[in-house]
Amino acid sequence: MPALGDGPADGVWCTLGECRTTAQIAQNGFAWLGLDAQHGAFGDATLLATMPALAAVAPQVPVAIRVAEGSDAAIGRALDLGADIVIVPMIETVEQAEHAVRAAHYPPRGRRSWGPMAGLWGGAAPSAAAADPEVWVMLETLEGLRAAEQILAVPGVSAVFVGPFDLSIGLGMELPELLEADRATDPLPAIVAAARRAGKHTGAFAGDLARAERLRALGFDRVAVVTDGTLLAHGAAAVLGAAATGRTSY
């Protein structure tokens, strides 16, 4: 299974649910891909089409799937499809984090059942003994923030992943206020500090370059810097700008 290194790793967050577009993006240098099966257009059928396409053109790029909820079925299905990382939303307690870890691992470490699908498209899945997916837990509420220290200390939790939009809603803060708050006791710095004490990585959704820069400055090292839709918009703007000025490169 491909894995991310220890340094900063910029990813792209894919929501369009279009396998060929996602496979094309995967070949352009991002450290990881996030496929959104919670709020994006990735359902079971689109993931079934996308995962073999990614395995064919960019097997070295780790793929994260954000599941719709933290059940055994949702987490196991994402991993059966070939996810290297499973992102689990709405974690608020140690018990929920422990459940996510168990759902992601085979016995005796966990309770995942055997059923990898890589063989359907000619791939090879790791053995049960070798399978070691990453579990990224999302802290999106006041309850999750209060329990961050304990949640991130759970063995098998690999990283925290913050969605600033949901966290700002959950805390009753405006998004700019959340992002600008940089005292040690403020939400985002507190989450980063808790993760560092636990020896865990820190991920976050940015969605645009300005937010990505701010999140990096706050200490997040697994940042989804753009979405697939935003990336298309940037490319279109560059081409149209070049055409308008007569430039032949962009």
Side-chain angles (χ1 to χ4, degrees), residues 73-215:
I75 292 171
R77 183 64 170 173
L79 295 171
D80 286 348
L81 286 162
D84 306 294
I85 301 157
V86 61
I87 303 177
V88 186
M90 298 299 291
I91 296 296
E92 297 182 312
T93 68
V94 166
E95 291 74 20
Q96 289 172 338
E98 290 173 339
H99 179 94
V101 171
R102 288 195 300 272
H105 293 279
Y106 296 111
R109 186 177 182 184
R111 48 181 287 119
R112 179 183 170 196
S113 60
W114 179 258
M117 304 182 71
L120 296 180
W121 49 83
S127 68
D132 191 23
E134 293 191 24
V135 177
W136 295 4
V137 296
M138 295 194 72
L139 304 182
E140 307 177 82
T141 65
L142 179 59
E143 291 79 5
L145 178 62
R146 286 173 172 166
E149 196 85 34
Q150 294 75 29
I151 289 169
L152 290 170
V154 169
V157 169
S158 308
V160 61
F161 190 78
V162 174
F165 291 87
D166 279 326
L167 184 59
S168 67
I169 294 169
L171 299 179
M173 302 174 69
E174 295 296 324
L175 180 61
E177 178 188 4
L178 176 68
L179 291 171
E180 289 305 315
D182 59 3
R183 295 173 299 179
T185 55
D186 287 328
L188 295 178
I191 289 171
V192 170
R196 286 177 175 168
R197 286 191 290 271
K200 309 296 172 69
H201 284 291
T202 50
F205 171 82
D208 70 27
L209 298 180
R211 279 194 296 270
E213 182 177 0
R214 180 58 185 159
L215 289 163

